[in-house]
Amino acid sequence: MLERLMELIDKNCNNVDKDMVKKAYYFADKAHKRQKRESGEPYIVHPVEVACILAEMGLDTGTIVAGLLHDVIEDTNFSHEDVSREFSPEVANLVEGVTKLGKIEYKTKEEQQADNVRKMLLAMADDIRVILIKLADRLHNMRTLKYLPVEKQREKAKETFDIYAPLAHRLGMSKIKWELEDLAFRYINQNEYYFIVRKIAEKRVEREKYIQQIIKQLKENLKKSGIDAEIEGRPKHFYSIYRKMVKKNKTIDQIFDLTAVRIIVDTVKDCYASLGIVHTIYKPIPGRFKDYIAMPKPNMYQSLHTTVIGPQGKPFEIQIRTFEMHKTAEYGIAAHWKYKEGVETEDDIDKKLTWLREMLEWQKETSDAEEFMERFKIDLFSDEVFVFTPKGKVINLPYDATPIDFAYKIHTDIGNSCVGAKVNGKMVPLDYHLKTGEIVEVLVSSSPKGPSIDWLNVVKSNQAKSKIRSWFKKAKKEENTLKGKELLEKEAKKQGCNFGEIAKGEIVNAVLKKYNMNSIDDLYASVGVGSVNLSTIVLKMKDMYNQTSKMGIEDWKKLKDKLDKITNKPHKRYKKSPGVIVKGETNVLVRFAKCCNPVPGDPIIGYITKGRGVSIHRKDCRNVDFLLKNKDNKIVEVSWGRPKGEYIAEIKIEAEDRQKLLSELMDTVNESNIDLYAINAKPIKDGIAVINMKLKISSINELRDLMKKLRKVKNVIGVERTKN
């Protein structure tokens, strides 16, 4: 495996530190030594394959090393600090950027996906290599998807369609995009996939013979004109054929351009000269010529496309580009990476990622996970139109964009002041759908009243929607505040509670913190303008209110404050102290409460019982709240002395149910040299299982280490201590 990786580096990369790559290989091999893939192969196969994909792109030392180490922080005991110390902070940050948000518990899959995508976008903005590693990781996982259960196959394939293939497209990485789409297509629409595969195979020989005839004809004519060119047939990918069949409502027999011809030349001048020669040999089809050299796509793609009538009257597509354009078309941003020698400056790269900055701009204003994912997918999937300003500057917009989208793309103030528009010198309505090649002029007011709320239903770009919402937030905050409060009160009533009762103190603070807001008025205004989901907010506040019991949130907070004062006081320590010290005394009878099972290291509190000494509870035990409320002065100060022996601790594990789950969890406990005292497992709903374990441990640190390992077991959703 290592030899193959080195061969790819020699073939495609410049100035890669091979010693560093070898060091990373042996480090990863050691870290993943006892782990295996679902296929049964040693786990190291996966990171090496990821590194090979990155080497094929011709990337730098840091990216290939991070590719080898990309699962080390997430799936082994090595930390960010370990990787930074062994390699470099740069490599450690790349690995951290790729690592999923696996330690946070989410209520919904959508919420988890949204947070992962947010993290990915931020990491991309900081260092675009993060997404290059992530795409390579996803590509190899898709190549080996057959080893996963059917349900997981469909889940991963859908996520690939929704997020990773569109991201590869926006980064101009067509080679990876096509393979991801075809692999995902295979698992989501198996019948259609294999039908197309069979149909393509049936006439392959006939089709290849036809293409070779065209290639021969083109080579002869280009050579006569003194143009050196590489000409190749490019078979269409299965998913692109399927999409064309669905979009145009055609059978596969009605799609003639199943293969395209690509002409690759040295210079831009040769591109246009070759186009002229093509059009003298074959008759072009009107309206099917696209010049992506003069007007490159936002993902840096450049090429001339023309569809012509070939021999036997069959239409086929010809693409014409330079060798440099071809490299960019295959690998996109990876072909222009700023760390590679002798290429563009950092500013040039940043210009090519304008769309990423715009996406980050609007995503900051979207708190609702479902809305965020919907807008994210629209931004990635949308086709584009290219229009001109009156001065000839090219502006790219989403398909079906309007003059309002155009105005906001030029500047926020132009959008807010827009009162009309002209297209090619003629007045058009503001909901007019712009077409490629049109010249657009925006008419503005000297005393603008701002945008109309109806514009939100007209504009197509997330950038325009974000700026319109922002204007209404600022200009109509008071009105939206009243409206938002009224909507929240109605929603609370609908959910069977009183909003005034649940919207208090710590509950409100928790919600404001979640949505990055400073005051309750900000929350009301956001609900009023529709930028957050009011039913989600009310449900969260209602759940928090119920969790604090019938005492009421303020009483609960006071009790917690009192508890903190009691448990935070320093205690006198003795050299020969037993497990627990009670008010500085070591010879007091104590017992550990079974409701919370405290262990050394837990913050604790004592309660004087009748005839059974002092009962020791964890400070977060629910029963303590009631003991404090009784105000019978039986609470005593306690602290840990020098505890010895074993203590019982209970944990709850929530996981997606599957075969061998229980045995893998028990193996993890055994490998940690911890005794399992008792275990209970039961399914709850939607394929989720809950496993309760009682364990014999010596300290809180030992328990925390075990919980960390259990969280890494496949399909585990969360691990927590039980309180009662």
Side-chain angles (χ1 to χ4, degrees):
M1 288 189 297
L2 184 57
E3 282 177 13
R4 177 167 164 260
L5 176 58
M6 291 301 165
E7 284 171 9
L8 287 168
I9 289 170
D10 286 337
K11 183 180 176 182
N12 302 298
C13 307
N14 294 320
N15 300 327
V16 167
D17 185 343
K18 290 183 186 176
D19 290 335
M20 184 66 77
V21 173
K22 287 177 183 176
K23 181 182 176 183
Y25 168 81
Y26 291 117
F27 187 92
D29 189 32
K30 182 182 177 182
H32 296 293
K33 193 169 186 179
R34 295 184 181 179
Q35 298 173 347
K36 289 192 181 293
R37 300 269 288 166
E38 290 290 335
S39 62
E41 295 175 312
Y43 196 91
I44 187 63
V45 170
H46 171 63
V48 172
E49 287 297 329
V50 169
C52 285
I53 293 167
L54 296 169
E56 283 173 1
M57 295 185 215
L59 289 163
D60 62 301
T61 303
T63 314
I64 295 171
V65 168
L68 285 165
L69 304 173
H70 77 274
D71 276 334
V72 162
I73 293 177
E74 184 177 359
D75 293 336
T76 76
N77 291 327
F78 289 102
S79 65
H80 180 279
E81 291 74 22
D82 295 329
V83 176
S84 181
R85 184 173 59 252
E86 288 291 328
F87 297 92
S88 69
E90 174 200 9
V91 168
N93 290 338
L94 285 171
V95 175
E96 181 70 22
V98 179
T99 302
K100 296 174 189 172
L101 298 177
K103 297 176 184 176
I104 298 176
E105 294 183 25
Y106 301 92
K107 286 189 175 180
T108 66
K109 181 73 178 173
E110 195 85 357
E111 198 175 304
Q112 183 179 21
Q113 194 180 61
D115 263 352
N116 276 321
V117 170
R118 284 181 201 274
K119 183 182 180 186
M120 206 157 51
L121 289 174
L122 291 167
M124 283 166 65
D126 187 48
D127 193 330
I128 195 68
R129 292 177 295 173
V130 168
I131 194 59
L132 302 183
I133 299 166
K134 191 67 185 170
L135 285 171
D137 172 46
R138 177 50 60 113
L139 180 56
H140 183 249
N141 280 333
M142 289 300 294
R143 287 173 179 173
T144 56
L145 202 59
K146 64 182 179 182
Y147 298 106
L148 293 183
V150 174
E151 196 57 39
K152 274 287 179 187
Q153 287 177 352
R154 292 183 65 83
E155 182 187 315
K156 293 289 182 188
K158 187 178 184 306
E159 191 177 59
T160 299
F161 259 139
D162 287 349
I163 296 171
Y164 294 101
L167 265 175
H169 170 67
R170 287 307 296 259
L171 292 167
M173 303 169 74
S174 60
K175 191 171 183 180
I176 291 197
K177 175 219 172 195
W178 288 329
E179 189 175 351
L180 286 175
E181 283 182 341
D182 277 356
L183 289 167
F185 178 41
R186 176 182 171 186
Y187 290 99
I188 288 182
N189 300 87
Q190 282 196 9
N191 293 336
E192 291 88 343
Y193 175 83
Y194 287 110
F195 170 77
I196 291 171
V197 170
R198 284 196 304 273
K199 283 289 185 182
I200 294 292
E202 282 173 12
K203 295 185 178 180
R204 178 175 291 164
V205 175
E206 179 188 328
R207 197 165 46 251
E208 286 178 355
K209 186 178 177 183
Y210 177 70
I211 290 297
Q212 286 307 314
Q213 180 187 345
I214 292 168
I215 290 174
K216 184 181 177 184
Q217 210 168 10
L218 285 169
K219 276 185 177 176
E220 288 172 356
N221 282 273
L222 289 171
K223 192 173 182 180
K224 285 178 188 176
S225 301
I227 297 174
D228 289 328
E230 239 179 54
I231 307 175
E232 59 186 18
R234 182 186 67 82
K236 285 221 178 226
H237 295 270
F238 299 130
Y239 179 65
S240 66
I241 294 169
Y242 171 73
R243 195 169 53 190
K244 199 167 188 178
M245 288 167 63
V246 172
K247 194 174 180 181
K248 298 192 175 182
N249 196 23
K250 289 185 176 183
T251 65
I252 193 165
D253 297 322
Q254 293 172 308
I255 298 174
F256 297 106
D257 56 335
L258 293 177
T259 308
V261 174
R262 185 178 291 143
I263 300 172
I264 307 174
V265 294
D266 291 320
T267 65
V268 173
K269 182 182 174 184
D270 287 345
C271 288
Y272 288 101
S274 301
L275 178 68
I277 293 166
V278 167
H279 284 177
T280 58
I281 305 170
Y282 308 112
K283 188 176 180 180
I285 296 176
R288 296 294 301 272
F289 167 67
K290 292 172 184 173
D291 187 346
Y292 293 120
I293 293 179
M295 291 187 290
K297 290 185 177 183
N299 64 5
M300 300 170 292
Y301 179 85
Q302 286 184 288
S303 191
L304 298 175
H305 289 197
T306 183
T307 303
V308 297
I309 303 294
Q312 305 167 26
K314 293 180 182 178
F316 69 96
E317 186 184 66
I318 293 183
Q319 300 172 357
I320 307 168
R321 61 180 72 148
T322 66
F323 286 97
E324 189 62 34
M325 290 173 192
H326 180 60
K327 195 174 181 183
T328 300
E330 295 278 290
Y331 295 117
I333 196 74
H336 290 257
W337 177 240
K338 64 191 174 192
Y339 280 72
K340 293 165 74 178
E341 253 193 293
V343 294
E344 297 161 279
T345 65
E346 196 166 330
D347 288 342
D348 291 325
I349 293 291
D350 288 342
K351 284 175 188 174
K352 292 175 176 19
L353 293 173
T354 304
W355 64 271
L356 174 59
R357 288 198 303 276
E358 289 173 357
M359 198 180 286
L360 283 168
E361 190 178 302
W362 65 253
Q363 70 92 20
K364 289 175 187 173
E365 301 178 11
T366 310
S367 303
D368 182 68
E370 193 173 335
E371 183 191 355
F372 169 78
M373 287 309 299
E374 191 59 38
R375 287 169 67 178
F376 174 76
K377 290 170 190 175
I378 289 169
D379 234 27
L380 289 183
F381 271 118
S382 62
D383 291 325
E384 286 147 335
V385 294
F386 299 87
V387 295
F388 295 93
T389 67
K391 292 184 177 180
K393 184 181 178 183
V394 178
I395 302 292
N396 66 288
L397 295 164
Y399 182 74
D400 272 353
T402 66
I404 304 171
D405 292 286
F406 176 87
Y408 277 106
K409 183 83 172 186
I410 300 299
H411 197 277
T412 304
D413 292 341
I414 301 291
N416 290 338
S417 308
C418 176
V419 290
K422 287 182 181 181
V423 171
N424 295 337
K426 295 180 181 179
M427 289 294 294
V428 294
L430 288 176
D431 61 356
Y432 172 82
H433 292 165
L434 299 173
K435 299 175 187 65
T436 294
E438 292 179 327
I439 300 171
V440 186
E441 182 182 351
V442 178
L443 306 178
V444 296
S445 169
S446 56
S447 53
K449 295 179 181 178
S452 163
I453 194 71
D454 295 332
W455 288 5
L456 287 170
N457 300 320
V458 172
V459 296
K460 299 297 177 185
S461 68
N462 285 318
Q463 184 188 19
K465 285 180 182 178
S466 178
K467 289 179 177 180
I468 293 166
R469 284 197 178 106
S470 180
W471 187 90
F472 278 103
K473 276 183 186 177
K474 291 174 185 175
K476 297 193 175 184
K477 187 170 182 181
E478 189 175 335
E479 180 184 328
N480 288 323
T481 299
L482 294 171
K483 182 182 175 183
K485 187 176 182 184
E486 186 181 333
L487 287 170
L488 284 166
E489 286 171 350
K490 282 183 180 177
E491 181 61 29
K493 192 175 181 181
K494 185 178 171 184
Q495 293 192 29
C497 61
N498 183 301
F499 185 75
E501 189 177 336
I502 64 172
K504 293 179 180 177
E506 292 300 307
I507 293 177
V508 171
N509 290 338
V511 172
L512 294 178
K513 187 177 180 182
K514 176 178 171 59
Y515 290 99
N516 296 317
M517 295 175 187
N518 297 318
S519 69
I520 188 76
D521 283 347
D522 290 342
L523 178 64
Y524 291 150
S526 296
V527 171
V529 81
S531 62
V532 292
N533 190 310
L534 69 106
S535 63
T536 303
I537 289 170
V538 172
L539 186 62
K540 182 175 181 65
M541 294 174 87
K542 183 181 170 185
D543 286 347
M544 289 179 68
Y545 179 78
N546 291 335
Q547 285 171 15
T548 59
S549 82
K550 294 178 182 178
M551 287 189 295
I553 185 70
E554 293 302 330
D555 290 339
W556 177 82
K557 187 173 182 296
K558 287 176 184 175
L559 290 172
K560 283 292 178 190
D561 288 343
K562 181 179 178 183
L563 181 60
D564 288 338
K565 286 177 184 176
I566 291 170
T567 55
N568 288 337
K569 287 182 180 179
H571 301 287
K572 185 178 177 182
R573 301 260 177 183
Y574 291 88
K575 288 181 181 179
K576 294 184 179 180
S577 59
V580 173
I581 301 167
V582 181
K583 276 196 172 182
E585 297 296 325
T586 61
N587 59 351
V588 178
L589 177 65
V590 299
R591 69 179 184 86
F592 295 102
K594 291 182 180 180
C595 56
C596 57
N597 293 315
V599 298
D602 280 330
I604 51 175
I605 189 169
Y607 183 77
I608 301 169
T609 63
K610 290 182 179 178
R612 291 185 297 169
V614 176
S615 177
I616 308 300
H617 294 259
R618 279 164 39 199
K619 90 167 192 178
D620 62 349
C621 176
R622 289 173 187 159
N623 286 334
V624 171
D625 293 338
F626 297 101
L627 298 176
L628 285 166
K629 192 179 178 185
N630 288 335
K631 297 178 182 178
D632 53 10
N633 295 321
K634 291 185 178 181
I635 296 292
V636 291
E637 299 169 14
V638 295
S639 64
W640 293 103
R642 291 188 176 178
K644 293 181 181 179
E646 294 178 323
Y647 296 77
I648 300 295
E650 187 172 355
I651 60 172
K652 181 177 82 171
I653 304 165
E654 195 171 321
E656 294 173 5
D657 203 2
R658 63 172 173 85
Q659 287 185 344
K660 297 184 180 179
L661 172 65
L662 201 56
S663 63
E664 286 181 26
L665 292 170
M666 292 172 71
D667 287 345
T668 303
V669 174
N670 290 334
E671 286 169 10
S672 301
N673 293 319
I674 291 175
D675 289 335
L676 185 62
Y677 182 73
I679 187 168
N680 177 269
K682 61 180 179 180
I684 44 175
K685 61 178 181 178
D686 299 327
I688 303 298
V690 169
I691 301 98
N692 288 88
M693 288 184 178
K694 284 188 177 180
L695 308 153
K696 290 183 178 180
I697 61 160
S698 58
S699 73
I700 189 67
N701 290 334
E702 191 176 36
L703 182 62
R704 284 171 182 161
D705 288 341
L706 174 63
M707 289 169 72
K708 184 179 178 182
K709 290 174 184 175
L710 289 169
R711 288 188 186 104
K712 292 178 181 177
V713 173
K714 186 182 173 186
N715 294 111
V716 168
I717 299 167
V719 182
E720 62 181 14
R721 293 273 299 278
T722 54
K723 293 185 181 180
N724 289 78

